[in-house]
Amino acid sequence: MAKLAYLLALAHASLVYGHPAARDVKPEAKVLHGREITISSSLEITTSYSSVLLSSLQSATATVSPSITATFLTGLPSGGFTRDPMPTVSISDVGSLAPIDSTLAPGTTTPAGTASANVFVPMVTDTPPQQITSRDDHAVKKLNIIDQDVPIETNKFYANFFLGSQTSSVWTLPYSLAWAKGHGNSYGIAVTHTERSQLAWGEGDVPRYFIGPIGLQHIVFSAAELGEQTALSTEKLTAFSVFANLSPFRGAEPIMSLPCVQGMGFVTALYNGAKPLLTSGTFFRTLKYVDQLNGITYKYQIQLEDDSQWLLYATPVASLGAPPFELQDSATIVGPEGFIGMIQVAKNPSNTTGEATYDSTAGAYAVNATMSGSVDGSAGSYTLTWGKEGVQNQTLLMFALPHHVESFDQETAAALTDIELVTTVKGYAKAVVADKITMVENDLPDTIGFAPWIRASNGGNGGSSNDLLNTEALAAVNSAGALELAQDFDQQTRLDSMYYSGKGLAKFAGIIYTLQTMAKNTELAAAGLVKLKDAFNVFVNNTQPLPLVYDTVWKGVVSSGTYKTGDTGVDFGNTLYNDHHFHYGYFVWTAAVIGHLDPTWLEAGDNKAWVNTLVRDFANPSTSDPYFPFQRSFDWYAGHSWAKGLFESGDGKDQESSSEDTFSTYALKMWGKISGDANMEARGNLQLAVQARSVNNYFLLASDNKVQPERFLPNKVTGILFENKVDHTTYFGANPEYIQGIHMIPLAPSSSYTRPRKFVQEEWDAYFSNGRAENVTGGWKGILFANLALIDPTTSYNFFADPNFDSTVLDGGASRTWYLAYAAAMQGTGTTAPGEAVVANDAVVANDAVVANDAGDQDAEVSDGENYSDVEYRSSDDEGYDDDDIYSDVEVRSSDE
């Protein structure tokens, strides 16, 4: 499809100063550019609008009541988690695995190296491994997408524009847009902003859900030329933006296009020789022409019958004067014939002085965004820079979400205004006047490794790993590990589900790491690693029951399940790009463990290339990769991932498990560390910090949460978070342990970073204290008691150490071995064998630890509270202390302190 003439004209309009008295003077020719390519053009002045408007203030009387009715989708849509995340594979005890006469030599866990100045750089751009065959017959066809043969974002906010009926809403925040397609007798794009007073709530003092209305039409951008044959197409689909085009009929050139960008301050419609029609289901009360603002843009004020105030800005191209807009009736505003130019609308919230701010930014609009970020140890920052078109002399007005505002750098904070508009599920968005925003994170999880991680006790930033176990825990872990590694790996991992298979592999990887590093049982760990490599190799060779395929339509690696069965829901919808970060994150973390325990594995065969292919599918850091889109799952504007792929959804994208989201990022961080990709490790640390912030604003509801509505906070978690709805439930049931527990799994070293003690305590008290957790059955019971280790590791440990422990309370992705070790380590005490002392927790050695080679005396005991200088400490791999180094003036304290 040819580039639009009006886009060539509007994309880069020069600022031209003019005065009403000089409207008969022809301005200088403008330099005009197309999107992303430079094309020069000059447009002759074809129209001079009269300087005398029909009226400075036009009023309309509604003869019928405005349409304020809307739809509330209280049910759950198809295409989400439709099954319990607990695999149903039966696990039988077959005795204990025997150690083998071999030891492991794990590689270093020091940082992978120095990251680039911008960590968003390409990984690799080669083809996926050849054992992953290609297919071009995906179940979901591209619907009116102009871009061809390029990676297409499948999980972004605008997907409803090209899925199903194409009429479901798209949330740019704080506005939503929807193709009317006849609704309200219009075929244009409806603009809506919902106030909290318009939300629908579930019953009771603590409602199960709150939902924004669907179908309201505050202002609809349309044209007289659009009717029943109107076609909607999309173009320039990026991670943060899309162009939505309307044509009079399919195959015709678009006459109207809307650049849709997350956080856009104005909704902008670009017209190409059409007669604008603005309609409203809420009804227009008044329309008032105000003035010319910047020599090229003309301002109007609109009041709707719901008393909301809106601003309209028209910037004509190839014409002179204020384009006339006539309030034809309470539902319709008619613009001039053959209009070439842009029309922008914005809601002006009451009780603000923001109108002057809107005026100063009108005429400019965002078309896309680019991502950059830098990391230095525990500090990092990331910047969203918007591509700007329209009147270039104007600075953009954009909206930032609460998690952005919390972490603004000084320059961005200075650009904040007093304009704020509420969103449905992410609190109040605040307007900034800036062409870019930068957020700073000063508590990156760079000290988190494979071992249990404990936050700094003083409540400050940072924390430390602890892989020390006391004598009792050592015995319990070794016993449980031998039993669990004797299980049939193949039975639990070679499944017709990437999700369940990944969970099984990660379970065994966790056991093997625990035995090697925490229990110091390298011969048993070596025996388990042999089995794990064989199980993982099934997937590298792509010989699992439902092999992966490379989809050349949307460009990604997907399960062959839907191709084989025709069922789009197979494996939670993996073939349609659902949940890829959940599914593939388990494989990536497992690979990190294998590569750590046996560094030679990384360079063997296709191991590294295969894992990197999964990473590129859901977390590709580059827009230049021809095989995968940029960051398919994670939304760098929203601050978290979206699980829903190519399924139309009336309430937009959704995510059900904030903890599996953060785990997938933790997996990226660890794979980057082990595979030697410093940029991936740095990105993982930065992304995990952003997630910790956003998850605790939007998903985890501590009593002091200021973002979500106060009456909803007692639910403690959102449940499923959509773009337009929060529903305290799951796709597979409404038991409290399901709803709360799915935001706990899996228990990982990063859990104590993303799930604060305050929140965990409040959640436990609200739902599971006083014996209620004891009444839960199945794998969810184990999840609850494992999560308890974040606040009460002793009770957690005792639960799993019980001689009468019932293994049926373990999720198929969890092990008793890891839970025992994790809870024991979180207690902060432990011992280690002579000659292998570890300096843990910021050079604090736990009670009863033994310091090797103390002034030449092997096995010297450490007394509580004494200071030791010139003491040699031999470190574990996770602590970053090199063997044979001398550490002077190290204070050695008892764990009791």
Side-chain angles (χ1 to χ4, degrees), residues 229-559:
Q229 300 302 312
T230 298
L232 167 64
S233 62
T234 51
E235 187 179 8
K236 298 294 181 185
L237 296 80
T238 78
F240 304 96
S241 62
V242 68
F243 276 76
N245 307 322
L246 291 181
S247 305
F249 53 89
R250 189 164 185 173
E253 286 291 324
I255 61 172
M256 191 179 87
S257 182
L258 280 77
C260 305
V261 183
Q262 287 174 296
M264 60 187 185
F266 298 94
V267 183
T268 302
L270 312 177
Y271 283 85
N272 179 32
K275 183 176 183 177
L277 288 181
L278 275 64
T279 62
S280 175
T282 310
F283 285 10
F284 301 113
R285 182 180 296 165
T286 61
L287 169 67
K288 180 182 180 181
Y289 170 70
V290 181
D291 202 358
Q292 186 182 27
L293 296 179
N294 52 27
I296 193 171
T297 299
Y298 299 86
K299 174 185 175 181
Y300 304 77
Q301 294 172 331
I302 295 173
Q303 185 176 28
L304 299 182
E305 287 292 349
D306 64 356
D307 293 325
S308 62
Q309 306 288 330
W310 292 71
L311 300 169
L312 184 151
Y313 300 92
T315 305
V317 175
S319 59
L320 290 173
F325 289 90
E326 179 185 354
L327 184 56
Q328 181 173 288
D329 55 47
S330 61
T332 310
I333 294 174
V334 180
E337 297 277 355
F339 182 71
I340 300 176
M342 75 181 87
I343 301 174
Q344 298 175 289
V345 298
K347 185 175 183 179
N348 184 27
S350 59
N351 301 319
T352 76
T353 58
E355 189 161 339
T357 302
Y358 281 116
D359 291 351
S360 69
T361 57
Y365 60 94
V367 292
N368 55 38
T370 55
M371 187 78 204
S372 60
S374 63
V375 171
D376 183 8
S378 62
S381 67
Y382 63 107
T383 299
L384 283 173
T385 302
W386 289 288
K388 180 173 65 175
E389 300 297 355
V391 182
Q392 292 294 296
N393 300 55
Q394 306 283 69
T395 304
L396 292 172
L397 185 145
M398 303 294 291
F399 280 95
L401 299 176
H403 78 280
H404 298 140
V405 176
E406 282 183 355
S407 55
F408 274 169
D409 71 354
Q410 290 184 348
E411 181 180 353
T412 308
L416 267 172
T417 72
D418 63 350
I419 299 171
E420 63 177 20
L421 289 172
V422 73
T423 69
T424 308
V425 302
K426 287 187 165 61
Y428 283 85
K430 296 189 176 184
V432 294
V433 176
D435 292 341
K436 66 178 182 179
I437 57 174
T438 296
M439 283 63 63
V440 177
E441 295 292 347
N442 288 318
D443 186 22
L444 269 57
D446 60 319
T447 59
I448 295 180
F450 290 114
W453 185 83
I454 306 172
R455 268 209 174 272
S457 59
N458 60 6
N461 291 347
S464 54
S465 296
N466 182 21
D467 61 8
L468 300 176
L469 299 177
N470 61 33
T471 304
E472 177 190 343
L474 279 170
V477 165
N478 276 306
S479 175
L483 289 171
E484 290 181 315
L485 289 184
Q487 295 171 4
D488 187 339
F489 281 32
D490 197 63
Q491 180 190 34
Q492 297 180 47
T493 62
R494 193 194 293 253
L495 307 173
D496 61 354
S497 164
M498 289 297 289
Y499 179 64
Y500 291 149
S501 296
K503 283 169 66 84
L505 289 166
K507 161 189 167 177
F508 291 117
I511 297 169
I512 296 165
Y513 165 81
T514 301
L515 290 171
Q516 168 66 30
T517 305
M518 302 182 72
K520 314 301 182 186
N521 193 339
T522 187
E523 291 84 3
L524 183 55
L529 188 60
V530 171
K531 297 177 67 176
L532 181 61
K533 287 179 182 177
D534 287 343
F536 199 90
N537 202 42
V538 169
F539 294 88
V540 175
N541 290 335
N542 211 26
T543 56
Q544 66 270 33
L546 293 176
L548 295 177
V549 301
Y550 178 74
D551 162 34
T552 63
V553 178
W554 301 95
K555 298 194 182 296
V557 172
V558 299
S559 166

Side-chain angles (χ1 to χ4, degrees), residues 768-779:
F768 306 116
S769 61
N770 300 320
R772 286 173 290 176
E774 293 286 355
N775 297 324
V776 174
T777 60

Side-chain angles (χ1 to χ4, degrees), residues 1 3 35 142 144-152 158 233-238 241-243 553-554:
M1 185 178 292
K3 291 295 178 184
R35 295 201 306 278
K142 289 183 179 178
N144 296 341
I145 296 176
I146 294 175
D147 302 321
Q148 295 297 316
D149 200 31
V150 296
I152 297 295
Y158 52 75
S233 62
T234 51
E235 187 179 8
K236 298 294 181 185
L237 296 80
T238 78
S241 62
V242 68
F243 276 76
V553 178
W554 301 95

